[in-house]
Amino acid sequence: MSQLEILQWFTQLQHPILTEFARVLTFLGDEEFYFLILPLVYWCFSKTTGFRLFYIFILSMYVNSYLKILFAVERPIGADGVNNLFVESAKVGSHYPFDSFPSGHAQGSTTLWGYLAIKSRSPLIFSSAAVLILLISISRLYSGLHWPTDIIAGISIGLAIIIASFFVDRYLSSLGSGIHWILVILTPIILLLLFPEEEGFKFSGILLGAGIGYLLEGKLVNMKISSSLIRKVAAFTIGIVGMFAIQVGLKGVFPEQNIFDFIRYGFIGVWGLLFAPMVFVSLRIYEKNNKKHFPIFKSS
């Protein structure tokens, strides 16, 4: 079967009930969802795992955006015999509709859930993550928004990035804090120089803000996450409100230029990893941890 025939077969399965299910799966691969789940891990479960996941995920999306522009494959929107759903979910990049390869939903979900599944070391979580990644990926075929090769490439790249991250982590764990400072500052700058597009400015900005924020949080705040569900809910609510206030507020104030996207996303990164924990501790939602702060890449 050709790729077009495969898509035609999947879109012929469209049914109102299945479409609503696919809508939920589409959201689970959207930027809005990632803006919820990434800080949730950092604020409510583990700062170390949260930071690593955040950094690996953003790097994965950086690679995805770079490859989309490099290959410029046109999406199957309007293809013969293919009924397209949720087209708005595809119009997130600056090069739509020539941004089909690789699938951001497949790569993003693989990176996020794959990393968390491996860290959990739980067969149940691992199996659940695999099923969720598969369903999110298939939903893009069902919706007629990606070619099968886009899905295969997205999953493969996501897995490759996860595997590489564990090897790199072993090396970085032996480095001192001074090298960590150099890395969190130079890495986003280098990435921006390599990819001076709209997406490159955003990803580089948030990586720079998050990296600086995490290092300063360990020195100035060193937040200790509470085991209380109520306190976690309170922290998450305050943190998310602040994050979206910055996202929407600064977007309305700043001119529509890439450099201001870099600054805006940088503020989001600093808020999420430094100022939000400061607020949590100041409001006594969380306490300061008197134990020594672990380096970014300390093995665990």
Side-chain angles (χ1 to χ4, degrees):
M1 291 179 70
S2 67
Q3 292 203 73
L4 179 59
E5 290 173 329
I6 292 173
L7 271 186
Q8 289 171 340
W9 184 85
F10 270 104
T11 57
Q12 286 174 0
L13 299 175
Q14 291 173 0
H15 180 277
I17 296 178
L18 291 177
T19 296
E20 289 307 308
F21 185 47
R23 189 188 304 276
V24 174
L25 293 171
T26 296
F27 171 72
L28 294 180
D30 284 346
E31 179 181 296
E32 290 80 5
F33 174 74
Y34 294 132
F35 261 97
L36 295 174
I37 194 67
L38 292 172
L40 174 67
V41 176
Y42 182 81
W43 293 334
C44 301
F45 293 96
S46 169
K47 289 194 299 180
T48 303
T49 298
F51 177 77
R52 290 174 177 172
L53 173 63
F54 178 89
Y55 220 86
I56 293 166
F57 178 82
I58 296 299
L59 284 174
S60 179
M61 291 297 94
Y62 171 95
V63 170
N64 182 266
S65 296
Y66 181 84
L67 293 177
K68 283 178 181 292
I69 293 176
L70 178 65
F71 289 101
V73 176
E74 187 173 8
R75 289 178 181 269
I77 295 177
D80 183 43
V82 176
N83 184 45
N84 311 112
L85 304 172
F86 320 131
V87 177
E88 288 302 317
S89 70
K91 298 179 180 180
V92 295
S94 59
H95 291 261
Y96 171 85
F98 297 95
D99 60 351
S100 189
F101 181 91
S103 167
H105 277 68
Q107 186 174 332
S109 61
T110 299
T111 306
L112 175 69
W113 299 114
Y115 181 82
L116 289 176
I118 293 174
K119 290 292 291 184
S120 73
R121 300 180 181 179
S122 166
L124 177 60
I125 294 178
F126 192 91
S127 301
S128 300
V131 171
L132 183 58
I133 292 167
L134 182 62
L135 289 176
I136 291 174
S137 299
I138 290 177
S139 74
R140 303 308 277 173
L141 299 176
Y142 174 87
S143 304
L145 297 177
H146 277 290
W147 302 103
T149 50
D150 303 339
I151 302 301
I152 296 172
I155 294 175
S156 300
I157 295 170
L159 289 174
I161 289 175
I162 293 173
I163 294 171
S165 72
F166 283 100
F167 283 102
V168 172
D169 182 65
R170 290 182 181 179
Y171 169 72
L172 294 178
S173 63
S174 64
L175 302 177
S177 60
I179 301 299
H180 291 167
W181 270 104
I182 294 174
L183 286 173
V184 299
I185 294 174
L186 283 187
T187 300
I189 294 175
I190 293 173
L191 293 177
L192 180 58
L193 294 175
L194 292 174
F195 187 35
E197 298 282 344
E198 177 184 335
E199 293 86 352
F201 276 89
K202 290 179 179 179
F203 292 138
S204 299
I206 199 167
L207 283 178
L208 181 62
I212 293 175
Y214 181 73
L215 287 175
L216 290 178
E217 194 279 335
K219 297 292 185 182
L220 303 177
V221 184
N222 203 11
M223 171 186 75
K224 180 181 180 181
I225 299 174
S226 172
S227 60
S228 167
L229 177 60
I230 295 177
R231 291 180 181 274
K232 288 182 178 183
V233 171
F236 180 74
T237 302
I238 293 172
I240 284 297
V241 169
M243 181 173 289
F244 279 95
I246 294 172
Q247 166 78 330
V248 176
L250 292 184
K251 187 175 183 179
V253 174
F254 285 168
E256 292 186 8
Q257 297 178 14
N258 288 339
I259 186 61
F260 289 102
D261 283 337
F262 177 85
I263 296 172
R264 178 162 57 95
Y265 276 77
F267 274 121
I268 292 174
V270 174
W271 164 260
L273 281 81
L274 174 61
F275 291 129
M278 278 186 172
V279 172
F280 303 158
V281 172
S282 297
L283 296 178
R284 297 184 179 180
I285 297 173
Y286 289 160
E287 298 178 352
K288 293 189 67 171
N289 192 343
N290 294 323
K291 294 182 179 180
K292 183 179 179 181
H293 176 68
F294 292 131
I296 294 177
F297 303 104
K298 186 183 188 324
S299 296
S300 60

